[in-house]
Amino acid sequence: MIHMGFSGAVAFFLIRIFKVVSPVKMTFRIYASCVIPISAFFASSLWFGNTAYLHISVAFIQMLKALMPVATFIVAVLCGTDKLRWDVFLNMVLVSVGVVVSSYGEINFNVIGTLYQVTGIFAEALRLVLTQVLLQKKGLTLNPITSLYYIAPCSFVFLFVPWYFLEQPGMEVSQIQFNTWIFFSNAVCALLLNFSIFLVIGRTGAVTVRVAGVLKDWILIALSTLIFPESMITGLNIIGYAIALCGVVLYNYLKVKESAQNTTERITKDWVLEKKSSDVYRPDGSSNSDDNAVVIDEEAPLVPPKSSSRLSHIGRTQIQAK
């Protein structure tokens, strides 16, 4: 909640005060149909995901996050933004089997914490698919600053509700040692994280983010086992996560292959259209690949156009036919 409030305030100052970027044309209808649902699922993913840390270890949470492609694929198929392909479906089964094996080998397995984390993963998948469906249909283009400007304040309100009813009654203000530097630096890190994700996608592409995400998960698992004593991992944990990781890597490969095919088809189509549009008369007298093209003989004597003709020509025209 503090992260969203801080990010929304910074985005407000950057847009309204310092005029770094301009806000998009946002109507109440678009805000109600796009921004509010996206913010609700974003807040849900944050709340469920963060609550899971109270019940299960950091390493096990990172292993469960391997289910993210599975959740996204299921939600995309149900929403109609993706087709049910058997190669991707079998890939998702592989990831799920790996997560199940990893969960079976977890020493401190907790059902409630696992349900919190899985629910947060599906909420994040709904947010991603909803962003694709709603924003693309509305034709909105949001950069990192404008995204936080519209989504962060609304997410702050949605996070305020569970805090007020579920967490605030159990808080004793006298026992809270509020350290301004810790909270401020933490909020700055969250803001920079949100900016960096959008910038990496814009500068490199989603593939780099996927590969970096796999590397990030391994680093987090390794560091959590060193820093937190409760994040103990077993051999079955490693085997299960390795199986799930193979499925994630294969999924990324299929998405990269599909994206490359779509790009090649689009380039080929543009080239064909450009080639057709270039098959016209050229003043330098160069040859034309179109057999039905019209060629003007510049060496022919000039003749005045006949008045009875509907078209006026300068020079003699030759029609090349097959």
Side-chain angles (χ1 to χ4, degrees), residues 207-227:
V207 178
T208 304
V209 176
R210 294 176 187 274
V211 176
V214 174
L215 180 62
K216 179 204 69 173
D217 292 340
W218 278 108
I219 294 176
L220 280 175
I221 292 174
L223 288 179
S224 63
T225 56
L226 296 176
I227 298 176

Side-chain angles (χ1 to χ4, degrees), residues 2 10 41 68 81 118 133 149 159 164 167 179 184 190 195-197 201 203 217-218 221 228 236 247-248 291 294 307:
I2 293 176
V10 171
F41 285 114
M68 189 65 205
T81 60
V118 173
V133 172
Y149 177 75
L159 289 171
Y164 182 80
E167 299 179 1
N179 190 314
F184 177 76
F195 282 158
S196 65
I197 292 174
I201 294 176
R203 296 285 183 177
D217 292 340
W218 278 108
I221 292 174
F228 303 107
L236 201 56
V248 173
D291 295 331
V294 178
S307 59

Side-chain angles (χ1 to χ4, degrees), residues 148-224:
L148 292 176
Y149 177 75
Y150 292 108
I151 294 177
C154 193
S155 298
F156 173 84
V157 175
F158 281 110
L159 289 171
F160 179 84
V161 175
W163 172 80
Y164 182 80
F165 289 102
L166 300 178
E167 299 179 1
Q168 188 268 343
M171 296 175 61
E172 296 182 6
V173 182
S174 60
Q175 296 181 357
I176 297 177
Q177 297 179 356
F178 189 86
N179 190 314
T180 305
W181 167 248
I182 292 179
F183 278 93
F184 177 76
S185 60
N186 189 272
V188 170
C189 287
L191 177 66
L192 295 179
L193 172 64
N194 292 326
F195 282 158
S196 65
I197 292 174
F198 287 103
L199 291 175
V200 169
I201 294 176
R203 296 285 183 177
T204 59
V207 178
T208 304
V209 176
R210 294 176 187 274
V211 176
V214 174
L215 180 62
K216 179 204 69 173
D217 292 340
W218 278 108
I219 294 176
L220 280 175
I221 292 174
L223 288 179
S224 63

Side-chain angles (χ1 to χ4, degrees), residues 159 276 295:
L159 289 171
K276 288 183 177 180
V295 179

